[in-house]
């Protein structure tokens, strides 16, 4: 059976479920698991799984129970939490299939060898292994960690740091979404897959640009995503440079103007970087050390000198390293900000070291749960980075708490509700020890930006202090279009409420 019930430990009691990072829990009536059927083709596997999900949704609707699909349960926010509902764990619905040329629509212009059909519970780590080891392909970009499922990462618009790529939803070319009334195969209007292929998955085609843009970043509120078709690129290598530097206002200006090669050259390598990350201390950032991590892309070649995970900077985002510090030095909260910079020394690869390489998948790693931490992110137009950075650090000053500010750079991402809404985007991650002080400091940063009327957006899957009014302000007409698609897929109010939870109601997405 594709869906099985997971027994609750004690009869008559709620099932208490925690998200991966143990930042919030749900009291559930029942918990279920969706599993791959083991059918010989992807189409058959999807058809069986999607039908099982639809019948499960109808059962929940009849019993008036809200539902929530969960993959890696990765978001530190409570966006995947539903109280007194049913949870559907998709982690074992995780097969990947290649697509044959004869299954593409006549109008499709994508090389079928670049496409991969991915079931919704597949983790980024599993996709990396399948692509890089078996198919000699790669993802263009991901977040810093690989424990998320593809569907979950897309649902919240998880951003990467590749200068010429958008968020992870940038890979998606088609989505299968299940509602009580239908199994929908959603593609752009130009079309991707043949009708016969779509029918074999148990789906009805919906070729519509607005519907596709809505489905790419949906927060689990349009139905249950059961599969996606993603586009990949040929396998490639990245060469890391990872070092502690003096960071200046001049550096910040170069980054804001997109002068990434000049920034890299100043720090030792006169080449165009593929990836840029800077971890700064908001307390006097131009007088203290910063960590710079650069990745330079090269074509795949055999016999390259392989880098270790540490040299590649895997799990050296601020979130991971703060967790390591707190586990090992719980007394040292005030010492953390500058120490996280110093940890780069000897761990990475400087410009003067011999060249080493790794694949994109090897640059990521699965975090341990990080319950003691705080994390929030904002996005702005890259050209306004100096202004936004200055306002945020001044807002932070004197507010208390401890947080670093990590700068990342990417293209605007597709999706009506993608927080990366500009052609060229700067992301600012604010990570620190958990507690009211750090949260207060981040809220002060947000309030200072709002008071200055500077356009910015926030990460759906992290602490964001969002409400329905702010969502409407940030996304404007795109939110109106997104809700129109929601009402098309879920025309009955009872069906929309099936996917409701306190957080999504607060954001105005399920009301």
């Amino acid at each position: 059976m594709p869906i099985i019930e997971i027994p609750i430990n004690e009869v008559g009691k709620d099932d208490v479920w925690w998200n991966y990072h143990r930042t919030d829990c749900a009291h559930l009536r029942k918990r279920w698991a969706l599993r791959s059927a083991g059918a010989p083709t992807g189409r058959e596997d999807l058809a069986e799984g999607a039908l099982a999900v639809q019948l499960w949704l109808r059962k929940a609707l009849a019993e008036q129970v809200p539902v929530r699909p969960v993959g890696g349960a990765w978001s530190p926010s409570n966006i995947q939490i539903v109280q007194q509902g049913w949870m559907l764990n998709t982690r074992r619905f995780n097969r990947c299939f290649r697509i044959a040329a004869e299954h593409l629509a006549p109008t499709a212009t994508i090389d079928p060898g670049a496409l991969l059909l991915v079931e919704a519970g597949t983790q980024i780590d599993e996709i990396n292994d399948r692509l890089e080891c078996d198919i000699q392909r790669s993802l263009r970009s991901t977040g810093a960690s690989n424990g998320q499922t593809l569907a979950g990462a897309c649902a919240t618009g998880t951003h990467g740091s590749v200068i010429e790529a958008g968020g992870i939803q940038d890979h998606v070319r088609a989505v299968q979404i299940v509602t009580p009334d239908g199994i929908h195969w959603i593609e752009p209007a130009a079309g991707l897959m043949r009708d016969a292929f779509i029918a074999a998955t148990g789906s009805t085609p919906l070729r519509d640009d607005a519907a596709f843009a809505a489905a790419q970043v949906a927060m689990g509120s349009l139905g249950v995503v059961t599969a996606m078709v993603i586009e990949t690129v040929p396998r490639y290598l990245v060469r890391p440079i990872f070092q502690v530097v003096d960071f200046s206002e001049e550096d910040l200006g170069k980054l804001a103007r997109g002068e990434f090669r000049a920034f890299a050259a100043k720090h030792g390598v006169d080449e165009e970087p593929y990836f840029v990350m800077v971890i700064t201390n908001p307390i006097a950032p131009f007088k203290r050390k910063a960590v710079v991590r650069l990745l330079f892309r090269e074509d795949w070649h055999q016999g390259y000198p392989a880098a270790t995970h540490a040299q590649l900077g895997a799990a050296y985002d601020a979130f991971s390293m703060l967790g390591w510090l707190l586990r090992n030095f719980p007394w040292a909260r005030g010492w953390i900000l500058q120490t996280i910079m110093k940890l780069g020394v000897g761990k990475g690869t400087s410009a003067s070291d011999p060249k080493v390489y790794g694949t994109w998948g090897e640059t990521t790693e699965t975090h341990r749960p990080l319950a003691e931490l705080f994390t929030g992110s904002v996005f702005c137009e890259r050209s306004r980075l100096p202004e936004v950075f200055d306002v945020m650090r001044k807002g932070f000053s004197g507010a208390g708490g401890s947080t670093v500010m990590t700068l990342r750079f990417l293209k605007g991402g597709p999706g009506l509700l993608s927080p990366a809404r500009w052609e060229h985007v700067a992301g600012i991650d604010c990570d620190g020890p958990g507690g009211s002080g750090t949260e207060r400091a981040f809220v002060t940063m947000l309030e200072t930006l709002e008071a200055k009327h500077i356009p910015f957006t926030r990460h759906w899957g992290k602490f964001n202090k969002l409400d329905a009014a702010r969502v409407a302000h940030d996304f404007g007409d795109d939110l109106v279009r997104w809700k129109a698609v929601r009402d098309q897929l879920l025309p009955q109010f009872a069906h929309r409420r099936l996917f409701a939870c306190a957080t999504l109601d607060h954001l105005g997405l399920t009301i």
Side-chain angles (χ1 to χ4, degrees), residues 180-202:
D181 279 347
I183 301 173
H184 308 279
W185 186 273
I186 304 176
E187 301 178 348
L192 179 70
M193 308 304 297
R194 289 185 181 271
D195 286 348
F197 178 94
I198 295 171
T201 69

Side-chain angles (χ1 to χ4, degrees), residues 319 374-378 403 428-432 442 459 462-464:
F319 200 46
F374 173 90
T375 182
S377 294
V378 302
T403 180
I428 304 176
D429 297 335
C430 297
D431 302 317
F442 185 66
H459 197 305
K462 298 183 180 182
F463 180 88
N464 52 44

